[in-house]
Amino acid sequence: MMAARQRTLTAAEQRRQVAFAGKREVLQAQGYSCREKRYKPLFVNVMAIIIMLPYAILMAVFFWLLPGHADLESFRFSNYFPSYAVFLCTFIALALALAAVHELIHGICFSRFSPDGWKSVQFGFHTAALAPYCACLVPLRKGGYIISALMPTIVLGFLPCIAASLLGNGFVFTLGMLMLFGGGGDFLMVYGMLAVRTKGKDVLFIDHPTECGFFVFERGQAEEA
């Protein structure tokens, strides 16, 4: 049976791969062991929906339980826009802009937790997925990685949904829901990180340079009892 063809890496992925190989060599020389956690794109897309569905249901219940929100009147586009065409164009434009802001928030958080600041942050655009991305080029502690991964969904997903529920604004609520599901991949990475069992006292995480996933570096393993 012939082996499956490997996809061609982009120039940015090739640069990240070379940079990662250098960092891995340095860390292993310092006594770190290395493990890889990788996900297939289809698995990420499916699990992103499954993971965020309970949160979306929770937000929807919160919206509808508030007084005066039990009907769909607040979701009529005519409440906010003169025509369906204006609504659609505005919604698409905002969704694209928020997708970019999502990655910018990742970058801001990565730069705060990285010793190299913005030098360790790389932005780009996946032509195959038609989506922007933000990658951190240096290893981070678990806490910093988790905060950086979840912050965009908190700021652009949960908070707008809660605010829209309090205000009865169906348009903002819909945008918040879209951003909520858009953060499903980030939540999957965090869940994967939390599921990793580490024995080391010194643990670092870094984005996979070319695939969906991450690498775990650890050293200083505790002695077995």
Side-chain angles (χ1 to χ4, degrees):
M1 180 180 296
M2 294 181 62
R5 292 180 59 187
Q6 292 186 341
R7 68 181 181 87
T8 302
L9 300 179
T10 65
E13 287 174 330
Q14 292 176 15
R15 289 194 296 270
R16 287 201 300 271
Q17 190 174 49
V18 171
F20 170 76
K23 289 181 175 61
R24 178 170 57 184
E25 184 177 348
V26 170
L27 288 171
Q28 288 178 330
Q30 294 174 355
Y32 285 89
S33 61
C34 177
R35 282 187 285 166
E36 178 186 25
K37 184 68 174 179
R38 180 166 51 178
Y39 303 97
K40 293 183 178 180
L42 179 60
F43 176 81
V44 173
N45 292 334
V46 173
M47 287 304 299
I49 297 174
I50 294 175
I51 288 174
M52 301 312 293
L53 191 58
Y55 297 110
I57 293 174
L58 180 64
M59 291 292 98
V61 170
F62 179 68
F63 185 95
W64 262 278
L65 285 181
L66 292 177
H69 296 178
D71 56 31
L72 298 177
E73 182 62 29
S74 60
F75 288 91
R76 295 182 184 276
F77 73 85
S78 57
N79 293 337
Y80 313 101
F81 303 95
S83 68
Y84 180 75
V86 174
F87 156 74
L88 188 61
C89 291
T90 303
F91 186 83
I92 293 174
L94 286 174
L96 293 175
L98 289 174
V101 174
H102 178 110
E103 303 306 327
L104 178 60
I105 295 174
H106 277 314
I108 292 172
C109 293
F110 283 145
S111 70
R112 297 296 296 175
F113 290 106
S114 167
D116 297 330
W118 283 103
K119 293 181 180 179
S120 63
V121 179
Q122 182 181 86
F123 295 98
F125 190 84
H126 284 296
T127 54
L130 296 178
Y133 69 84
C134 176
C136 186
L137 306 180
V138 299
L140 300 177
R141 301 291 178 187
K142 180 183 288 187
Y145 197 112
I146 290 176
I147 292 174
S148 300
L150 299 185
M151 191 58 67
T153 307
I154 294 173
V155 173
L156 301 178
F158 286 104
L159 293 182
C161 282
I162 293 172
S165 298
L166 297 174
L167 298 173
N169 191 310
F171 178 72
V172 173
F173 185 84
T174 303
L175 277 175
M177 277 291 192
L178 182 63
M179 293 298 103
L180 198 70
F181 280 103
D186 297 326
F187 272 65
L188 174 62
M189 295 301 132
V190 170
Y191 286 2
M193 289 174 56
L194 295 176
V196 172
R197 293 187 177 183
T198 58
K199 296 181 180 180
K201 299 178 181 179
D202 189 358
V203 183
L204 300 170
F205 293 85
I206 186 172
D207 286 334
H208 198 293
T210 61
E211 305 294 338
C212 298
F214 53 86
F215 281 86
V216 186
F217 292 91
E218 62 176 318
R219 69 177 177 181
Q221 293 188 359
E223 295 183 359
E224 296 289 342

